[in-house]
Amino acid sequence: RKEVEQDPGPFNVPEGATVAFNCTYSNSASQSFFWYRQDCRKEPKLLMSVYSSGNEDGRFTAQLNRASQYISLLIRDSKLSDSATYLCVVKTSGTYKYIFGTGTRLKVLA
Amino acid sequence: DGGITQSPKYLFRKEGQNVTLSCEQNLNHDAMYWYRQDPGQGLRLIYYSQIVNDFQKGDIAEGYSVSREKKESFPLTVTSAQKNPTAFYLCATTSGSYEQYFGPGTRLTVT
């Protein structure tokens, strides 16, 4: 089983739709969680950290479920510019290593 | 401007040649990382450094070498021993709150 798993998609959604991605992780000692956005042939860019109580940044909401070992990203009112690959990243307590999911591809259609 | 720079953006080399990829940061971050990304795969850790003059192997260090003589700089050398060097190479730094920030990457093609 991979340490971090994501549905690769693609998720094709119309503009204005709400879309949610999940990411599961296998190590219960995982400490820090992040969502990154990566455009084609570009570097990943931090979208948001994920906090235990959940957090929101504009149209984006991130949730953490430690009991079931998954994090989620919800995007409301999708824009064409949201089209990208979304990477789930997990850092384990006591190490300096970050584990990256392979990403979920989102295509927002006009 | 604050940030991470990587150069060059594209690099072409013949098989058997060593090549060094540059990574410079002015964020004053202690930790620096090198990853490679292949199509359809997640980022894989090559080397990381938590402090000047110290670095650790990641999951796929074979065929690579690094140095960390200055806080700002963490160059990566891809040696001829690396069997499949063609990839997208990403340098990252880590803030005090564990957030990683990436440079624009170097796309290396070896033929």
Side-chain angles (χ1 to χ4, degrees):
Chain A
R1 182 185 173 189
K2 289 183 181 177
E3 291 185 76
V4 175
E5 291 200 73
Q6 295 183 252
D7 182 339
F11 285 57
N12 296 322
V13 303
E15 264 187 297
T18 296
V19 62
F21 311 133
N22 279 349
C23 165
T24 58
Y25 61 94
S26 60
N27 190 337
S28 58
S30 297
Q31 169 193 40
S32 304
F33 307 88
F34 310 91
W35 283 104
Y36 282 76
R37 170 201 169 115
Q38 186 173 26
D39 293 290
C40 189
R41 300 178 70 81
K42 298 282 191 180
E43 76 274 24
K45 292 190 176 175
L46 180 66
L47 184 64
M48 56 201 305
S49 302
V50 186
Y51 303 122
S52 297
S53 55
N55 46 303
E56 189 174 305
D57 183 1
R59 298 182 292 109
F60 298 85
T61 301
Q63 299 275 358
L64 167 62
N65 186 317
R66 284 193 186 274
S68 300
Q69 296 187 197
Y70 75 85
I71 65 172
S72 63
L73 178 68
L74 181 80
I75 305 175
R76 289 181 299 278
D77 188 23
S78 299
K79 312 290 185 192
L80 293 175
S81 57
D82 294 332
S83 297
T85 297
Y86 291 83
L87 305 177
C88 167
V89 183
V90 174
K91 179 187 174 303
T92 300
S93 174
T95 79
Y96 292 102
K97 287 182 63 175
Y98 292 73
I99 308 299
F100 289 76
T102 53
T104 297
R105 191 170 168 209
L106 171 66
K107 295 178 78 172
V108 181
L109 308 171
Chain B
D1 280 359
I4 305 166
T5 56
Q6 290 186 243
S7 61
K9 188 172 182 179
Y10 299 98
L11 190 54
F12 298 89
R13 279 294 181 268
K14 295 289 187 186
E15 206 172 297
Q17 292 180 331
N18 291 358
V19 61
T20 297
L21 282 55
S22 166
C23 176
E24 304 280 331
Q25 57 110 351
N26 62 5
L27 299 170
N28 201 35
H29 289 167
D30 287 316
M32 297 186 75
Y33 294 69
W34 274 106
Y35 296 93
R36 74 176 270 170
Q37 187 175 34
D38 295 280
Q41 296 196 36
L43 275 68
R44 291 185 291 165
L45 180 63
I46 304 173
Y47 268 98
Y48 63 99
S49 169
Q50 297 304 306
I51 199 168
V52 173
N53 292 323
D54 186 56
F55 48 83
Q56 307 295 327
K57 291 182 179 180
D59 300 316
I60 56 164
E62 185 176 349
Y64 299 98
S65 65
V66 294
S67 63
R68 186 83 187 276
E69 297 175 3
K70 299 187 300 181
K71 187 175 185 176
E72 300 80 16
S73 178
F74 191 40
L76 174 74
T77 296
V78 184
T79 75
S80 56
Q82 168 48 232
K83 293 178 183 174
N84 296 297
T86 295
F88 187 37
Y89 289 88
L90 289 157
C91 176
T93 68
T94 301
S95 70
S97 54
Y98 301 120
E99 294 167 345
Q100 284 210 313
Y101 297 93
F102 289 85
T106 291
R107 207 163 285 277
L108 173 65
T109 301
V110 176
T111 56

